[in-house]
Amino acid sequence: REMITVCQDGHDAGVAAVAAELNVRLVQHERAAGAVEAAARIAAHYGAVLAGTFERHPNARFAIILEEDLVVAEDALEYFAGMAPVMDLDPSVYCVSAYNDNGLAHLAHDPSMVYRTEWFVGLGWLASRALFENEWKPEWPQTHWDHWLRQDAVRKGRECLYPEVARDVHIGEVGANMDALHFKRY
């Protein structure tokens, strides 16, 4: 539990209560004053989360990023542990995701199958300290961080790994980039 950190954008007593009940560290990221677009707020939060995680855990080579609206599979940590050495050994990989947009029951059958894509998948992913500190952190964008990670200049020809059988499910119906209509449709 000492390596688990709940990073919250702002202050919510309910989140603080759950973190205290689970006896895990809570870090509350201070939001910028004034009206800031959601994408800018989220980019600042993700940058702070990654930087803070690697600062708090100086020996960690990787960080697992899970959003609050994900339900993870029982083997999600095992999946990430198995994929971390691939990131170490294969310079053509820049991220490992637990999510699969097309990982529907009638399409996804092999939990050992992993695919490659040029698209940054996100929604539960493994980040490399070396990549973050050496490439991403100095250039971290002020908005739309996930779109930025998908740019050719940032990807540099590298790909993201994702499983045939998803290791997480997105349950957030409403958020900065989601509404109930799109959630039900997709």
Side-chain angles (χ1 to χ4, degrees):
R1 288 181 191 257
E2 66 275 357
M3 294 196 69
I4 297 173
T5 304
V6 173
C7 299
Q8 182 183 18
D9 182 26
H11 298 274
D12 182 290
V15 172
V18 169
E21 182 179 326
L22 295 174
N23 195 29
V24 297
R25 179 190 329 243
L26 173 66
V27 173
Q28 294 174 312
H29 180 236
E30 296 295 329
R31 289 183 172 181
V36 176
E37 118 181 87
R41 206 175 61 246
I42 293 168
H45 181 66
Y46 269 88
V49 165
L50 286 163
T53 297
F54 289 127
E55 287 170 14
R56 279 187 297 283
H57 304 287
N59 297 321
R61 294 185 350 261
F62 300 96
I64 297 171
I65 311 299
L66 298 170
E67 293 83 6
E68 81 284 356
D69 55 1
L70 297 176
V71 176
V72 297
E74 289 181 14
D75 68 340
L77 294 178
E78 181 181 333
Y79 166 76
F80 283 126
M83 293 290 100
V86 176
M87 286 188 77
D88 271 340
L89 298 172
D90 187 345
S92 71
V93 174
Y94 82 113
C95 72
V96 174
S97 177
Y99 189 72
N100 180 348
D101 283 316
N102 298 308
L104 306 171
H106 69 284
L107 298 173
H109 305 288
D110 186 352
S112 66
M113 182 63 75
V114 176
Y115 297 102
R116 300 173 77 100
T117 181
E118 294 179 349
W119 190 256
F120 172 73
V121 182
L123 292 178
W125 56 287
L126 185 69
S128 157
R129 169 193 291 277
L131 197 55
F132 175 73
E133 290 184 348
N134 297 328
E135 295 183 30
W136 298 350
K137 185 178 179 182
E139 303 293 327
W140 195 257
Q142 293 189 6
T143 188
H144 299 285
W145 69 275
D146 49 341
H147 298 249
W148 178 77
L149 283 178
R150 294 178 183 121
Q151 293 178 4
D152 290 340
V154 176
R155 267 193 339 95
K156 299 179 181 177
R158 295 174 291 209
E159 296 174 311
C160 186
L161 303 180
Y162 68 97
E164 179 171 310
V165 176
R167 297 318 198 276
D168 62 19
V169 176
H170 183 245
I171 62 167
E173 288 191 39
V174 178
N177 299 302
M178 180 61 68
D179 57 43
L181 175 66
H182 285 95
F183 180 81
K184 287 177 181 149
R185 177 183 280 167
Y186 302 107

